[in-house]
């Protein structure tokens, strides 16, 4: 049994949607979350820059003696996973793209799939490549939705501005007769209700967060790394820049009192 905490990180608040599923599935595990609020968004930055940021965050989480890392960010997962796995070869690292692909393959019936994400994720081709490797008949219709991240960081996910933005971005995908849509950014599940209202019941919304939590649980179980704690796990939250919305959104997503501590991540 391994009582060390699980480390989870993202560019900002989006990864809280993954943390929520991990806490739900592994309630006894301690969890440490880092949101890079000073440098959000990642989607418009180069692969080299995002890799550098991710390495700094992982080095910080290692000071907290984490037993595994969950990259709760599609931009990092799709662009930097192999590099990070090589740099930190002794550390189990779980990414979100593979679980998202597996969930989509189960969801689609007509093999017409929509993918929304940051520019970095969409441009990487990671989802499209893996989907087509699994089923060459799948058609992927992609759309970068860069405004979703700042809107989510602002907490504007269920108002008229959010609805207008969803309509502007997703109209062309719905017109392609997609039957499923992958939320290829961990910020996007915060818009799940608004997106669902627009795309309707005929389109399945694929959120990789739950499948990621399942994959993490399987890994910890198979490697005898689950804790034997019986009570609720401890949660810690860290950010690279304090701002009021993080704690507010954290509490809204997790239903947990969040008091994030600022870390000078450039020192790692």
């Amino acid at each position: 049994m391994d009582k060390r905490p699980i480390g989870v990180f993202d560019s900002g608040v989006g990864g809280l949607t993954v943390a929520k599923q991990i806490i739900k599935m592994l309630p006894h595990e301690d969890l440490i979350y880092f949101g890079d609020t000073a440098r959000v968004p990642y989607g418009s930055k180069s692969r080299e820059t995002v890799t550098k940021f991710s390495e700094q965050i992982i080095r910080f989480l290692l000071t907290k003696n984490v037993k595994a890392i969950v990259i709760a960010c599609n931009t990092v997962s799709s662009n930097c996973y192999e590099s990070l796995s090589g740099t930190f070869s002794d550390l189990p690292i779980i990414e979100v793209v593979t679980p998202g692909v597996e969930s989509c393959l189960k969801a689609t019936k007509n093999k017409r799939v929509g993918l929304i994400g940051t520019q970095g994720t969409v441009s990487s081709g990671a989802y499209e490549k893996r989907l087509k490797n699994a089923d060459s008949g799948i058609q992927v219709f992609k759309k970068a939705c860069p405004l979703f991240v700042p809107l989510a960081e602002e907490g504007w996910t269920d108002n008229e501005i959010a609805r207008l933005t969803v309509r502007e971005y997703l109209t062309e995908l719905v017109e392609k007769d997609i039957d499923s849509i992958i939320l290829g950014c961990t910020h996007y599940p915060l818009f799940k209700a608004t997106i669902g209202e627009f795309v309707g019941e005929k389109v399945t919304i694929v959120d990789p967060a739950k499948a990621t939590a399942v994959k993490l649980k399987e890994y910890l179980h198979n490697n005898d790394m689950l804790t034997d704690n019986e009570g609720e796990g401890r949660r810690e939250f860290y950010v690279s820049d304090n701002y009021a919305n993080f704690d507010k959104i954290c509490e809204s997503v997790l239903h947990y009192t969040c008091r994030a501590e600022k870390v000078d991540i450039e020192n790692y």
Side-chain angles (χ1 to χ4, degrees), residues 48-107:
E48 292 76 19
T49 295
V50 174
T51 300
K52 173 189 171 184
F53 290 173
S54 301
E55 289 174 350
Q56 290 173 332
I57 294 167
I58 292 174
R59 284 195 290 269
F60 164 71
L61 290 171
L62 285 172
T63 68
K64 300 296 181 179
N65 196 33
V66 295
K67 61 186 174 185
I69 292 282
V70 177
I71 304 173
C73 175
N74 281 268
T75 300
V76 177
S77 295
S78 57
N79 287 279
C80 315
Y81 172 70
E82 290 184 4
S83 173
L84 295 172
S85 295
T87 301
F88 303 97
S89 56
D90 295 332
L91 179 67
I93 300 178
I94 307 294
E95 44 83 26
V96 293
V97 173
T98 301
V101 167
E102 292 171 351
S103 297
C104 183
L105 290 169
K106 294 175 183 176

Side-chain angles (χ1 to χ4, degrees), residues 3 23 25-31 227-235 256:
K3 295 184 179 181
I23 290 170
M25 198 160 294
L26 297 165
H28 308 308
E29 297 286 344
D30 293 344
L31 183 145
T227 183
D228 59 356
N229 290 342
E230 294 183 358
E232 183 179 68
R234 176 174 48 88
R235 327 287 180 216
Y256 187 90

Side-chain angles (χ1 to χ4, degrees), residues 1-264:
M1 297 298 177
D2 193 332
K3 295 184 179 181
R4 292 177 297 164
I6 297 162
V8 181
F9 79 91
D10 180 45
S11 61
V13 302
L16 292 170
T17 61
V18 178
K20 178 181 180 178
Q21 294 298 329
I22 293 172
I23 290 170
K24 185 176 181 180
M25 198 160 294
L26 297 165
H28 308 308
E29 297 286 344
D30 293 344
L31 183 145
I32 296 177
Y33 183 92
F34 183 90
D36 198 359
T37 49
R39 304 183 294 197
V40 64
Y42 279 5
S44 57
K45 295 178 172 64
S46 69
R47 183 193 303 261
E48 292 76 19
T49 295
V50 174
T51 300
K52 173 189 171 184
F53 290 173
S54 301
E55 289 174 350
Q56 290 173 332
I57 294 167
I58 292 174
R59 284 195 290 269
F60 164 71
L61 290 171
L62 285 172
T63 68
K64 300 296 181 179
N65 196 33
V66 295
K67 61 186 174 185
I69 292 282
V70 177
I71 304 173
C73 175
N74 281 268
T75 300
V76 177
S77 295
S78 57
N79 287 279
C80 315
Y81 172 70
E82 290 184 4
S83 173
L84 295 172
S85 295
T87 301
F88 303 97
S89 56
D90 295 332
L91 179 67
I93 300 178
I94 307 294
E95 44 83 26
V96 293
V97 173
T98 301
V101 167
E102 292 171 351
S103 297
C104 183
L105 290 169
K106 294 175 183 176
T108 186
K109 300 295 187 292
N110 71 359
K111 300 187 181 184
R112 298 175 68 85
V113 173
L115 167 66
I116 57 175
T118 66
Q119 188 61 57
T121 296
V122 169
S123 299
S124 74
Y127 274 100
E128 185 174 18
K129 184 185 300 182
R130 296 187 200 186
L131 284 167
K132 286 185 172 294
N133 283 344
D135 186 339
S136 60
I138 284 182
Q139 291 180 272
V140 182
F141 302 94
K142 302 182 290 186
K143 182 70 176 179
C145 305
L147 287 180
F148 281 173
V149 171
L151 285 174
E153 294 287 328
E154 192 64 32
W156 290 4
T157 57
D158 188 23
N159 59 16
E160 190 58 26
I161 293 174
R163 283 186 281 277
L164 287 170
T165 307
V166 165
R167 186 181 307 127
E168 180 67 26
Y169 280 144
L170 302 190
T171 294
E172 65 183 78
L173 295 184
V174 172
E175 291 174 349
K176 298 292 186 181
D177 192 33
I178 59 171
D179 75 347
S180 55
I181 185 167
I182 302 172
L183 304 183
C185 173
T186 53
H187 282 77
Y188 293 5
L190 298 171
F191 293 90
K192 199 168 186 177
T194 306
I195 291 173
E197 180 183 307
F198 178 72
V199 302
E201 295 180 357
K202 292 183 179 179
V203 179
T204 300
I205 297 175
V206 178
D207 176 4
K210 184 175 181 180
T212 301
V214 170
K215 194 164 286 289
L216 171 66
K217 183 177 181 178
E218 289 174 350
Y219 182 90
L220 296 179
H221 173 75
N222 292 339
N223 290 275
D224 198 27
M225 294 174 69
L226 289 169
T227 183
D228 59 356
N229 290 342
E230 294 183 358
E232 183 179 68
R234 176 174 48 88
R235 327 287 180 216
E236 293 180 13
F237 303 91
Y238 297 90
V239 292
S240 51
D241 187 30
N242 281 329
Y243 78 122
N245 275 355
F246 183 89
D247 288 348
K248 180 180 177 182
I249 295 172
C250 182
E251 291 177 15
S252 173
V253 173
L254 301 183
H255 306 293
Y256 187 90
T257 301
C258 303
R259 294 293 180 267
E261 181 179 332
K262 182 180 176 182
V263 173
D264 189 351

